[in-house]
Amino acid sequence: MLIKRHQGWEIPERQATAESDYLNRRALLQKMGLGAGVIAASTLGSALALADDKAADPTASLYPGTHNDTYGAPTPITAERLATTYNNYYEFGTDKSIWRDAQKLQIRPWTIKVSGMVEKPFEIAFDDLLAKMPLQERVYRHRCVETWSMIVPWSGFPMKSLVEFCKPTGSAKYVVMQTLSKPAVMFGQKDFLYPWPYTEGLAIDEATNDLAFIATGLYGKPIGKQNGAPLRLVVPWKYGFKSVKAIVSVEFTDKRPVSFWEKLQDNEYGFWANVNPQVPHPRWSQATEKPLGSDQRIPTQIYNGYGQFVASLYENRKSEKLFM
Ligand SMILES: Nc1nc2c(c(=O)[nH]1)N[C@H]1C(S)=C(S)[C@@H](COP(=O)(O)O)O[C@H]1N2
Ligand SMILES: [Mo]
């Protein structure tokens, strides 16, 4: 199958950070004669696998998917090495260097359970779901509530495609997603001070906003375990903790869920958690952020720069704590 690669995320050379592994890989592929605008997806997949010297993934040839730059082409793209070795994933520990431990997680077979207010509850294997979804690549900003940020090329499908596939009934108002429970591997889950499993939710109109995304890939490949394989939420206008990893449950309900961090500390981490530089965290300012790999802080933007796409969701919710 031939696909046209727009490569919209590729940034002008002058903006590229020298250490960007992703761009270096492009250069390598070009040297191998694979850098033309139109190349076979399967060839790209195997070339990337080769270049990465990683074990084969049965879905590798699907990536990166059709490039979609409806939501812009933010730059500079964070070095792949940084985005895949500096992570938040409390199931594997409370520091940032969990990437090695996360490799122990088994992601096949992987079943997603769809329940609650749906026409008919069902379970589906991850690979079957992936085969039914329209695979795209989008470059998004990511802003952690701790004030670090990154810009990465996710691959995956719109959350709204997943919602439509689940067939929620008219009474469903929220969608709740949960991470796998596996304390033997996710040893952080043995710590009973945390309300495991990690739970997050969105209002249905947020989940069906086209910006909300389910990532199954990153940097043109299947997403790594440390970043939430095999599938994780990406809601770039909200603080990063909303973007739940390693999803095994999707439930539709008319009751607003209480999410993981909200249960722990509701005065610091709310349900809506939209990015706003004007609303400080109780213990620190949110006015600026530090891009991974940079030693200079930059101003943070309202809705993390995505206001034109999502601000209207909150017009009738002004009485809520929208920004914490
Ligand atoms: N299951 C689970 N999902 C999670 C987290 C977590 O600890 N566990 N951390 C969140 C936070 S705080 C952030 S900033 C992002 C980090 O994603 P990344 O490691 O891919 O950058 O994942 C979010 N999703
Ligand atoms: Mo975060």
Side-chain angles (χ1 to χ4, degrees), residues 87-107 110 179-191 194 196 198 224-230 245-246 260:
N87 301 97
N88 269 336
Y89 206 163
Y90 273 52
E91 285 84 344
F92 292 101
T94 55
D95 63 35
K96 300 289 184 262
S97 49
I98 55 81
W99 66 272
R100 223 182 279 271
D101 286 323
Q103 305 313 311
K104 293 178 196 132
L105 184 66
Q106 293 245 4
I107 58 164
W110 189 275
T179 298
L180 177 73
S181 277
K182 199 160 244 312
V185 181
M186 296 171 140
F187 59 84
Q189 292 176 335
K190 290 182 175 164
D191 187 339
Y194 292 93
W196 310 110
Y198 200 98
K225 294 172 180 177
Q226 64 273 43
N227 292 101
K245 296 177 172 181
F260 181 83

Side-chain angles (χ1 to χ4, degrees), residues 88 96 142-146 148 198 239-242 261:
N88 269 336
K96 300 289 184 262
H142 173 99
R143 172 62 157 79
C144 176
V145 73
E146 300 162 339
W148 58 269
Y198 200 98
Y239 288 115
F241 65 83
K242 294 293 295 183
W261 288 104

Side-chain angles (χ1 to χ4, degrees), residues 249-319:
S249 165
V250 180
E251 185 196 352
F252 293 85
T253 165
D254 57 1
K255 281 221 314 269
R256 187 191 297 180
V258 182
S259 37
F260 181 83
W261 288 104
E262 195 182 3
K263 261 183 210 144
L264 277 167
Q265 218 142 19
D266 65 353
N267 62 323
E268 301 198 347
Y269 309 101
F271 174 78
W272 300 102
N274 296 307
V275 174
N276 188 339
Q278 318 267 30
V279 179
H281 183 278
R283 289 182 280 140
W284 57 83
S285 164
Q286 295 290 18
T288 63
E289 66 199 54
K290 189 177 166 303
L292 291 187
S294 162
D295 40 21
Q296 257 164 22
R297 301 188 72 87
I298 58 171
T300 286
Q301 303 173 61
I302 181 115
Y303 295 111
N304 200 22
Y306 295 103
Q308 59 170 304
F309 307 111
V310 296
S312 64
L313 290 168
Y314 305 103
E315 238 132 60
N316 298 320
R317 290 173 167 142
K318 295 258 159 78
S319 59

Side-chain angles (χ1 to χ4, degrees), residues 59-82:
T59 62
S61 64
L62 301 175
Y63 292 93
T66 316
H67 190 78
N68 178 347
D69 61 6
T70 308
Y71 305 104
T75 56
I77 294 194
T78 301
E80 179 178 357
R81 181 175 35 78
L82 294 175

Side-chain angles (χ1 to χ4, degrees), residues 2 43 58 61 71 75 112 149 196 202 221 261 277 287 293 324:
L2 286 177
T43 312
S61 64
Y71 305 104
T75 56
I112 299 133
S149 66
W196 310 110
L202 297 172
K221 295 172 293 190
W261 288 104
M324 65 170 286

